Amino acid sequence: MQRIKTFFADLSQKAGLADEILRLSPHRRAADKPFQLGDVQEQNEVYLDLATGADFTKGGLTGMLAMGAFYTALILAPMLWQSTDQTLGFFAVVGFFCSLPLITFLIEILLPFPMPVRFNRRTREIYFQDRRRLYHVPWGEAVAWMQQTRQVTQYTGATRMTFLQVLLQRFRQPDEVITLQLSLPMGKTPEIQGMLWEYLRCYMEKGPWFDEHGEPLLESNRETVLARRRGKKADLKGVWQLHTDDLRNGTETKAAVALFVAGHLFFYPAFFVQDWTTAVARRRAEKNQWDKRVRERCRPDGPTTRLYDLEVEEGLHRQDPDDGLCGDLYH
């Protein structure tokens, strides 16, 4: 892992940010409590997936076209009770509009899906794959950091962003190192990003299931965790709960809540199809896009060797002393 450590040191010095970058450790607490704002795409006993920002728009075009086909069929439905010619015309028009989302659906599920960042508890390694390029880093040697920036423009005024990033190296090509965002920086504070890293640390260090204080749980809370996913659009119950809470707190009026809920109901066909398209594309990517070595190590009975171990056997790494590069968040 010497290449990653050197890369981080060079990055800090060249950017002139050595005093502004706050390094995070897999072995020390990053926040008082773990928390994540819907970034977790999957969490089970073997691995945890962090969704990337790109997959939130997957299926959007298919959903909008499907909604158009649905409302077209609804508007033209009276033609079914008219003459035979009008009935045939109904099926011709609706069939045409239904073919459009079907075509885009096939395109969207066949195109490469944006892969998540995967944390494997069994092998204690982090994976990411960009097309056919596989990147990884051992969890215990992970180099992650936070950096807060402030951008000022005449359009938006001052905007604060906090980056949470980790370094990974390409499998069997350790000189190729990439910087990977673990969470979108917009609207995030160092405290929020620190709680996300603490969430990941609790998962890797304490067990797959834990409470809001980071204490291990004996039973799975997977359903509760995945219910927070930001990528889920067709969530009437969640939308209703959100707006009723705002109404109860006095931050929204009844008219505003009614308008928002009505709008969500109107677009529900598009949201439903988008969620379904995303789910199908994600399952297909899980089976076909991940490297075979990753899929094997994500099985409950799969190999426990790390990709790093395979590289060591091939002589791609040498043992280096662990040298500190920057202060950890907690000492």
Side-chain angles (χ1 to χ4, degrees):
M1 292 293 105
Q2 183 63 27
R3 181 69 186 105
I4 283 183
K5 295 175 182 177
T6 304
F7 185 94
F8 179 73
D10 293 344
L11 177 68
S12 302
Q13 293 176 0
K14 289 179 180 178
L17 299 172
D19 296 330
E20 299 178 17
I21 289 179
L22 193 59
R23 185 178 174 186
L24 301 169
S25 170
H27 310 294
R28 294 183 178 87
R29 291 173 54 195
D32 291 334
K33 296 181 181 180
F35 188 70
Q36 53 91 14
L37 295 172
D39 298 283
V40 174
Q41 175 178 299
E42 175 60 89
Q43 182 173 332
N44 55 48
E45 290 82 357
V46 178
Y47 63 86
L48 179 151
D49 283 349
L50 276 187
T52 59
D55 74 341
F56 296 138
T57 59
K58 192 74 170 181
L61 178 59
T62 301
M64 293 303 294
L65 291 174
M67 184 181 72
F70 172 77
Y71 284 119
T72 297
L74 203 62
I75 293 172
L76 299 181
M79 295 175 62
L80 290 172
W81 289 272
Q82 304 300 322
S83 64
T84 303
D85 290 341
Q86 288 184 319
T87 300
L88 293 176
F90 169 85
F91 285 111
V93 173
V94 172
F96 170 76
F97 279 100
C98 288
S99 67
L100 298 179
L102 177 60
I103 293 172
T104 58
F105 169 77
L106 294 174
I107 292 174
E108 292 204 86
I109 66 171
L110 293 176
L111 286 175
F113 190 82
M115 303 302 289
V117 187
R118 177 161 292 183
F119 294 76
N120 191 319
R121 293 192 70 249
R122 293 182 69 251
T123 62
R124 295 182 62 76
E125 204 163 21
I126 306 174
Y127 308 124
F128 177 71
Q129 187 165 323
D130 180 17
R131 301 297 177 95
R132 295 186 179 276
R133 296 187 294 272
L134 176 61
Y135 299 89
H136 70 103
V137 67
W139 167 252
E141 302 294 330
V143 175
W145 72 93
M146 292 190 302
Q147 177 192 347
Q148 187 177 32
T149 64
R150 184 171 180 265
Q151 184 177 13
V152 181
T153 70
Q154 68 269 35
Y155 305 106
T156 61
T159 303
R160 293 186 181 275
M161 297 186 293
T162 302
F163 295 87
L164 173 59
Q165 302 176 91
V166 65
L167 293 178
L168 285 81
Q169 66 179 30
R170 188 171 178 181
F171 180 55
R172 287 180 173 159
Q173 298 185 35
D175 287 338
E176 183 178 334
V177 179
I178 63 169
T179 302
L180 193 64
Q181 293 279 356
L182 293 182
S183 178
L184 295 176
M186 288 76 74
K188 302 291 180 63
T189 64
E191 291 76 17
I192 292 176
Q193 297 287 44
M195 287 191 288
L196 173 58
W197 180 258
E198 180 64 16
Y199 189 97
L200 300 172
R201 199 188 70 83
C202 286
Y203 175 81
M204 296 294 283
E205 297 291 330
K206 297 185 178 182
W209 317 117
F210 46 89
D211 62 18
E212 60 183 5
H213 301 287
E215 297 300 323
L217 297 175
L218 297 178
E219 296 183 355
S220 169
N221 62 346
R222 178 175 179 271
E223 184 176 347
T224 302
V225 170
L226 298 186
R228 302 173 185 167
R229 282 178 295 183
R230 286 183 294 154
K232 189 177 181 182
K233 309 292 191 307
D235 184 12
L236 289 176
K237 181 179 179 181
V239 170
W240 175 254
Q241 183 66 46
L242 175 65
H243 290 300
T244 52
D245 288 345
D246 290 340
L247 184 62
R248 190 179 304 110
N249 295 331
T251 57
E252 282 192 13
T253 63
K254 291 183 178 180
V257 170
L259 183 62
F260 281 123
V261 173
H264 195 87
L265 285 172
F266 179 80
F267 285 100
Y268 185 81
F271 295 151
F272 179 83
V273 173
Q274 181 176 359
D275 285 348
W276 181 61
T277 304
T278 302
V280 173
R282 185 176 291 142
R283 287 195 297 269
R284 185 179 179 279
E286 175 67 28
K287 295 180 180 179
N288 300 307
Q289 286 185 224
W290 274 116
D291 187 280
K292 179 182 178 182
R293 302 172 189 86
V294 174
R295 294 200 308 270
E296 290 175 344
R297 283 160 177 76
C298 290
R299 297 199 315 260
D301 59 346
T304 57
T305 54
R306 302 173 298 177
L307 299 183
Y308 177 73
D309 298 328
L310 301 181
E311 292 177 327
V312 170
E313 292 177 0
E314 297 173 4
L316 296 176
H317 297 282
R318 59 185 177 87
Q319 295 297 326
D320 296 287
D322 185 20
D323 49 343
L325 300 175
C326 188
D328 291 328
L329 183 61
Y330 280 76
H331 298 276

